[in-house]
């Protein structure tokens, strides 16, 4: 039995990992790079390259406009069906569309319109700022009739169900939360919150951006109303790949799309002068979908489906727990604090470590002294080093080396030579 704080132990864990071969399915031009940012932008699957070559050269280059009748027109729905399998929804409840922010806008708008008599929206102060901006904008557009009430996290890490219980009432039109919080990785009990909201007659809109592809989600089982999510994080769809939205079947007719466009029309190619709403989930589309970037998503969805979110989650739980055990052993005495929930069932697939010098430490990780391996984490204001674990390609050895390197950076104070001024994108 190897010492649990040795690299031999990390390698043993890799040797026993049933998903270890999936790493070979990704493009890894620099094997020395320790990439712990798959929760911001997933790695490129090898198969995507050949697929894009086909899409660009054959579908676009050769087939030209004929491509629309050879798969492009159905693509938003067909990729939506694959995402539906990943989030536990029916195939006709999910569609690929726009960005997460725009989808949140569309569904939250529909929800507020449907709940016209109710005047409160509940979210939390752990939520992704863009989600809160969308809600603030909507409130203004609805004539400032709504109050946005935020559940306040006591420790900046976890949310508090008792706070939600205290706030929710028959005035609550909509509860909208990130399933997994972007900074701390706190994970809500999706089914429990949904049930609580329904007891008060409120709708729930989940943002799955930080959970989809990393954590099993069962929207139908929870009877969830609405959801949106991102595809360039754990779904590895590439920079700016289109987002998705989910609307439970029985709500699709009741909920309106605030942006009427021809792709949400009953039959766009009738070119009717007056809008007739499309049947089903397609009504939530607006304009021409981004066929090229949507195409990049297909091989990676197949990869996630092949590996299975259950197996991915199992490895993710082991890997985040392993990271936390190393950090507890080596880093807590050096001024770090755990910025994520300790309990695995309340934690997504990344781990935040807090340190007053977090920004400069991140710089030192990414730009190591000679002989060291570069580590890419990301920094989230004001003091979070966010270490994203994407189990399809991250190894235990990488986690070991990253935490060991953090320890060395602190012991040698190498972070002190980096300025604290922020880059535009952190
Ligand atoms: C990444 C992320 C988004 C991204 O929004 P876009 O509009 O696609 O840029 C939104 N919400 C959450 C919670 C996220 O983590």
């Amino acid at each position: 039995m190897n010492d649990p704080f040795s690299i031999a132990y990390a390698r043993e864990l890799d040797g026993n990992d049933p998903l270890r071969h999936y790493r070979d399915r990704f493009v890894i031009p620099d094997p020395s790079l320790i990439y712990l940012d798959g929760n911001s932008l997933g790695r490129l699957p090898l198969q995507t390259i050949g697929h894009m070559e086909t899409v660009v050269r054959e579908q676009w280059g050769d087939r030209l406009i004929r491509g629309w009748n050879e798969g492009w027109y159905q693509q938003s729905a067909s990729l939506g069906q694959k995402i539906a399998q990943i989030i536990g929804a029916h195939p006709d409840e999910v569609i690929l569309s726009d960005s997460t922010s725009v989808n949140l806008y569309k569904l939250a708008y529909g929800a507020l319109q449907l709940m016209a008599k109710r005047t409160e929206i509940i979210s939390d102060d752990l939520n992704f700022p863009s989600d809160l901006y969308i809600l603030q904008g909507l409130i203004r557009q609805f004539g400032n009739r709504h109050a946005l009430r935020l559940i306040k996290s006591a420790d900046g890490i976890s949310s508090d169900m008792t706070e939600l219980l205290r706030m929710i009432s028959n005035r609550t039109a909509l509860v909208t939360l990130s399933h997994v919080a972007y900074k701390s990785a706190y994970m809500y009990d999706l089914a429990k919150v949904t049930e609580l909201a329904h007891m008060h007659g409120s709708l729930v809109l989940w943002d799955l951006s930080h959970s989809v592809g990393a954590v099993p989600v069962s929207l139908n089982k929870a009877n969830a109303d609405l959801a949106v999510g991102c595809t360039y994080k754990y779904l590895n769809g590439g920079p700016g790949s289109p987002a998705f939205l989910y609307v439970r079947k029985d709500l699709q007719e009741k909920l309106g799309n605030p942006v009427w466009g021809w792709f949400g029309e009953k039959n766009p190619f009738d070119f009717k002068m007056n809008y007739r709403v499309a049947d089903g989930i397609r009504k939530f589309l607006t304009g021409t979908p981004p066929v090229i970037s949507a195409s990049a998503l297909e091989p990676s969805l197949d990869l996630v489906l092949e590996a299975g979110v259950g197996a991915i989650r199992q490895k993710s739980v082991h890997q985040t727990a392993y990271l936390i055990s190393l950090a507890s052993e080596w880093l807590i005495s050096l001024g770090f604090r755990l910025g994520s929930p300790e309990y695995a069932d309340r934690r997504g697939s990344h781990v935040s470590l807090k340190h007053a010098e977090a920004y400069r430490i991140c710089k030192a990780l990414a730009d190591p002294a000679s002989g060291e391996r570069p580590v890419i984490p990301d920094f989230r204001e004001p003091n979070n080093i966010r270490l994203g674990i994407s189990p399809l390609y991250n190894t235990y050895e990488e986690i070991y080396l990253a935490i060991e390197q953090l320890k060395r950076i602190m012991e040698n104070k190498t972070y002190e030579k980096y300025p604290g001024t922020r880059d535009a994108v952190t």
Side-chain angles (χ1 to χ4, degrees), residues 307-355:
V309 182
I312 292 173
R313 171 65 175 166
Q314 202 169 23
K315 178 171 172 188
S316 158
V317 166
H318 282 144
Q319 288 191 306
T320 53
Y322 177 62
L323 190 156
I324 291 170
S325 76
L326 295 175
S328 309
E329 181 76 6
W330 292 336
L331 299 181
I332 300 305
S333 57
L334 296 168
F336 287 87
R337 273 187 303 129
L338 180 61
S340 294
E342 257 174 78
Y343 299 105
D345 56 353
R346 293 274 65 83
R347 187 173 71 229
S349 199
H350 63 279
V351 176
S352 277
L353 298 175
K354 290 178 183 284
H355 193 285

Side-chain angles (χ1 to χ4, degrees), residues 31 38 51 114 121 179 220 261 305 387 399 407:
H51 184 63
L114 198 59
I121 304 169
H179 180 207
N220 284 159
L305 285 168
L387 304 168
I399 294 168
K407 173 168 158 264

Side-chain angles (χ1 to χ4, degrees), residues 99-102 127-128 130-131 178 182 207 209-210 230 232-233:
S99 66
T100 307
S101 304
V102 170
N127 208 348
F128 193 65
S130 189
D131 294 33
S178 286
Y182 80 107
D207 188 331
S209 294
H210 265 86
C230 166
Y232 48 79
K233 292 170 179 162

Side-chain angles (χ1 to χ4, degrees), residues 304-414:
V304 169
L305 285 168
E306 182 191 320
V309 182
I312 292 173
R313 171 65 175 166
Q314 202 169 23
K315 178 171 172 188
S316 158
V317 166
H318 282 144
Q319 288 191 306
T320 53
Y322 177 62
L323 190 156
I324 291 170
S325 76
L326 295 175
S328 309
E329 181 76 6
W330 292 336
L331 299 181
I332 300 305
S333 57
L334 296 168
F336 287 87
R337 273 187 303 129
L338 180 61
S340 294
E342 257 174 78
Y343 299 105
D345 56 353
R346 293 274 65 83
R347 187 173 71 229
S349 199
H350 63 279
V351 176
S352 277
L353 298 175
K354 290 178 183 284
H355 193 285
E357 288 288 358
Y359 186 77
R360 296 205 289 174
I361 297 168
C362 282
K363 285 280 172 205
L365 273 173
D367 172 33
S370 61
E372 304 254 33
R373 290 174 62 169
V375 180
I376 301 190
D378 59 18
F379 167 77
R380 285 292 175 264
E381 292 285 0
N383 60 354
N384 292 279
I385 301 172
R386 208 172 59 159
L387 304 168
I389 294 178
S390 192
L392 287 181
Y393 49 79
N394 283 126
T395 63
Y396 290 88
E397 183 172 340
E398 287 182 307
I399 294 168
Y400 177 91
L401 292 171
I403 300 301
E404 194 194 35
Q405 194 141 312
L406 269 172
K407 173 168 158 264
R408 239 181 348 257
I409 285 168
M410 301 315 293
E411 286 169 351
N412 301 335
K413 299 197 190 306
T414 40

Side-chain angles (χ1 to χ4, degrees), residues 162-181:
T162 57
E163 274 291 286
L164 174 59
L165 261 169
R166 203 175 53 77
M167 271 184 193
I168 198 162
S169 72
N170 59 8
R171 291 185 302 277
T172 310
L174 179 67
V175 177
T176 179
L177 297 163
S178 286
H179 180 207
V180 169

